[in-house]
Amino acid sequence: MKDTQIPESEQSKELFAYFGLAVYYCQALEQQLTNLLLLSKLSQGQTLSEADLAELYQRKLSNSLGQLIKEIQHHFPFSEEETRQLQSVWKQRNHIVHDYFKERIQQTFTPAGRAQMIRELKRFKNKARRLEVKLQSYSTDMYIKLGIEEESIMK
């Protein structure tokens, strides 16, 4: 019976680790979207003081993933596929954060249920990570085009 005890099971620890990674990569996406928004404003010739840039950066970091996705679509030329991927990750992120364990609580008590949940969370984590890496490359390209050190915008 020990394997069905959630806190003590190694499989349970793995399940919660993948949940954490799923949330982590969503936050990494939020960071990249924030970076892209600021870089887009700078690339349009907007000159912002260091204080204004820092204030805008903090304000954008407090936006939700959905708010950032809606705003970035007005400033960055994502392909239709990239837009679809962003919206899909946003929808899945909301489900994982708000409803996932409520809907699957019974599965957490069985090895087969936990294994299924781990596979789902792993797939989502990989999907979010690939998208985050893609956005990171767009940010890096914009830093280079603008001649900005990446660290200078995130002070």
Side-chain angles (χ1 to χ4, degrees), residues 33-48:
L33 289 168
T34 296
N35 292 347
L36 279 173
L37 279 168
L38 268 66
L39 290 165
S40 292
K41 290 183 184 302
L42 292 173
S43 72
Q44 294 168 356
Q46 291 185 8
T47 44
L48 300 168

Side-chain angles (χ1 to χ4, degrees), residues 11 107 110-120:
Q11 190 184 36
Q107 287 179 278
T110 67
R114 289 190 299 268
Q116 174 62 33
M117 293 171 75
I118 289 167
R119 285 190 298 275
E120 290 169 358

Side-chain angles (χ1 to χ4, degrees), residues 19-122:
F19 174 80
L21 284 169
V23 172
Y24 168 82
Y25 280 106
C26 287
Q27 289 179 0
L29 272 174
E30 290 170 347
Q31 178 69 54
Q32 290 306 323
L33 289 168
T34 296
N35 292 347
L36 279 173
L37 279 168
L38 268 66
L39 290 165
S40 292
K41 290 183 184 302
L42 292 173
S43 72
Q44 294 168 356
Q46 291 185 8
T47 44
L48 300 168
S49 70
E50 199 169 311
D52 289 340
L53 188 60
E55 189 273 326
L56 180 60
Y57 182 74
Q58 289 305 314
R59 197 165 16 107
K60 293 301 171 194
L61 281 179
S62 68
N63 286 358
S64 70
L65 181 59
Q67 290 169 319
L68 292 168
I69 289 171
K70 286 179 183 177
E71 185 175 353
I72 193 68
Q73 290 175 333
H74 299 289
H75 300 283
F76 195 83
F78 289 114
S79 69
E80 285 183 35
E81 176 60 20
E82 290 166 334
T83 299
R84 188 195 62 71
Q85 289 173 0
L86 280 167
Q87 295 194 350
S88 173
V89 165
W90 171 31
K91 182 179 178 182
Q92 285 181 282
R93 176 255 177 229
N94 286 346
H95 178 259
I96 287 170
V97 170
H98 299 292
D99 300 312
Y100 192 74
F101 282 99
K102 287 188 279 188
E103 292 177 359
R104 297 214 167 73
I105 192 68
Q106 292 302 316
Q107 287 179 278
T108 65
F109 290 103
T110 67
R114 289 190 299 268
Q116 174 62 33
M117 293 171 75
I118 289 167
R119 285 190 298 275
E120 290 169 358
L121 290 167
K122 206 183 268 191

